[in-house]
Amino acid sequence: MITIAHRPPQIIRANGIDICHEIFGDESAEPMLLIMGLGAQMIHWDDEFCKQLAARGFRVIRFDNRDIGQSGKLTGGKRLTPFELLKLRLFGIPVAAPYKLIDMAKDTVGLMDALGLKSAHLVGASMGGMIAQEVAISFPQVVRSLASIMSTTGNPKIPPPSREAGAMLMAPPPGTKEEFIERFAKTWKVLRVGSFPEDEALDYSRAIRTYERGLNPAGVGRQLRAILASGSRKQRLSAVQAPTLVIHGTVDPLVHPAGGKDTAASIPGAKLLMIEGMGHALPIPMWPEIIDAIDQHARSAAAKVA
């Protein structure tokens, strides 16, 4: 059995915000930052997923984005309304937001600076993919490779979420711990699309861990506003120089598969991996294919630099 070096969660100041982060793998290994999605704490990069990546020879760093988990909380921004979404979709009227994705990209770069990393491989899921794209556009010198998972370009022509996934996104936050645990299981049932017994068996413990690390519904709302206020990256993605891998599920109910295809088509030389039967989640049975793809992509990028 391989023993993986591990630095437990710590708070570090980056871009003027406290960022909670955790590191798996040797200090001398190739650094790889994992960036999570909307309202998702860093622990949604499962411990074992991180350890398996670290076992491939990477220094895996996961962190809570601003406004979530144990990172710094901001203020402002009312709950998003269906009317605001309608105005955005029909008339292109922007959504107001206390901050945008570029600010979250600066958090990511600030974390790297604070950790003494000049560059790293970036792996982003959903909103995390959007943040990673923004880093690759605005701070190309810090990106060794880019992997954008179940994400999109912000192109308004991409089909919206399924009705069920959209309703889940706009539902009011649960009021009690019991309601949160029940909502957690239902949410991931919708996002995973289909039956994944291994993951379903872990839903309760994952929900408890998430709840105990701290919830911030207002922060989730601000993150959602950040996505909607940031507009499309499609044109700017043509300037991305980092070797790019795009991974997307064929049955994603939240970010339509067209979002992944549009991302790959917008970045010069990007590789596209569509995973059959994958929704908007990283189910355990699909880890081998996902981890293999990330590993091979990062190794290939590192070899070209060497």
Side-chain angles (χ1 to χ4, degrees):
M1 185 175 177
I2 300 173
T3 301
I4 301 296
H6 177 231
R7 184 194 291 181
Q10 295 181 7
I11 302 290
I12 200 167
R13 195 76 176 166
N15 192 32
I17 288 177
D18 287 339
I19 299 290
C20 181
H21 68 287
E22 186 174 8
I23 304 177
F24 300 83
D26 294 334
E27 200 164 318
S28 60
E30 289 261 326
M32 178 177 285
L33 259 70
L34 307 184
I35 313 172
M36 235 318 139
L38 173 67
Q41 299 182 17
M42 67 178 183
I43 57 173
H44 284 82
W45 295 109
D46 193 276
D47 294 10
E48 188 58 34
F49 184 93
C50 295
K51 289 174 184 175
Q52 288 186 28
L53 267 176
R56 303 289 185 103
F58 298 102
R59 187 184 184 207
V60 177
I61 304 156
R62 65 180 181 182
F63 65 98
D64 288 323
N65 286 308
R66 61 166 64 191
D67 254 338
I68 204 74
Q70 297 182 346
S71 284
K73 311 298 190 293
L74 284 86
T75 57
K78 296 178 182 177
R79 183 169 175 77
L80 191 72
T81 66
F83 184 56
E84 286 178 283
L85 282 176
L86 192 65
K87 288 195 296 183
L88 176 65
R89 184 160 285 276
L90 294 183
F91 307 112
I93 298 172
V95 167
Y99 54 82
K100 296 184 179 181
L101 292 175
I102 183 61
D103 299 296
M104 302 182 82
K106 289 175 181 177
D107 294 346
T108 305
V109 177
L111 174 61
M112 292 171 63
D113 287 343
L115 293 174
L117 301 175
K118 291 184 178 179
S119 62
H121 302 283
L122 299 188
V123 180
S126 195
M127 179 187 74
M130 302 173 197
I131 295 168
Q133 291 170 25
E134 191 63 64
V135 175
I137 293 167
S138 303
F139 306 95
Q141 71 281 1
V142 308
V143 185
R144 299 189 188 189
S145 72
L146 169 64
S148 180
I149 305 173
M150 53 193 177
S151 194
T152 185
T153 60
N155 180 356
K157 294 181 180 178
I158 299 301
S162 71
R163 182 170 295 182
E164 192 177 19
M168 183 192 69
L169 199 64
M170 298 300 291
T176 66
K177 181 178 181 179
E178 290 69 28
E179 286 176 13
F180 174 78
I181 292 167
E182 184 181 352
R183 174 82 63 83
F184 188 96
K186 286 182 178 177
T187 296
W188 286 104
K189 184 76 174 172
V190 170
L191 293 179
R192 283 193 291 257
V193 186
S195 178
F196 293 91
E198 285 179 272
D199 289 277
E200 289 161 19
L202 293 173
D203 278 341
Y204 181 82
S205 61
R206 286 172 172 172
I208 292 291
R209 190 177 180 194
T210 301
Y211 186 87
E212 289 179 347
R213 292 187 81 244
L215 306 180
N216 186 27
V220 179
R222 285 188 287 272
Q223 289 184 352
L224 181 56
R225 284 185 175 276
I227 293 171
L228 297 173
S230 294
S232 176
R233 291 169 299 285
K234 184 171 175 61
Q235 296 303 123
R236 294 189 300 134
L237 283 168
S238 65
V240 170
Q241 298 175 352
T244 300
L245 169 67
V246 177
I247 300 175
H248 214 105
T250 59
V251 294
D252 192 325
L254 190 62
V255 178
H256 194 280
K261 294 174 182 177
D262 191 48
T263 304
S266 302
I267 299 174
K271 294 177 284 187
L272 175 64
L273 171 62
M274 298 297 295
I275 298 184
E276 191 65 37
M278 185 172 107
H280 198 79
L282 301 171
I284 294 169
M286 295 174 181
W287 285 2
E289 186 174 5
I290 295 166
I291 289 171
D292 278 350
I294 293 171
D295 176 25
Q296 291 168 17
H297 176 65
R299 284 180 187 277
S300 173
K304 286 176 183 175
V305 172

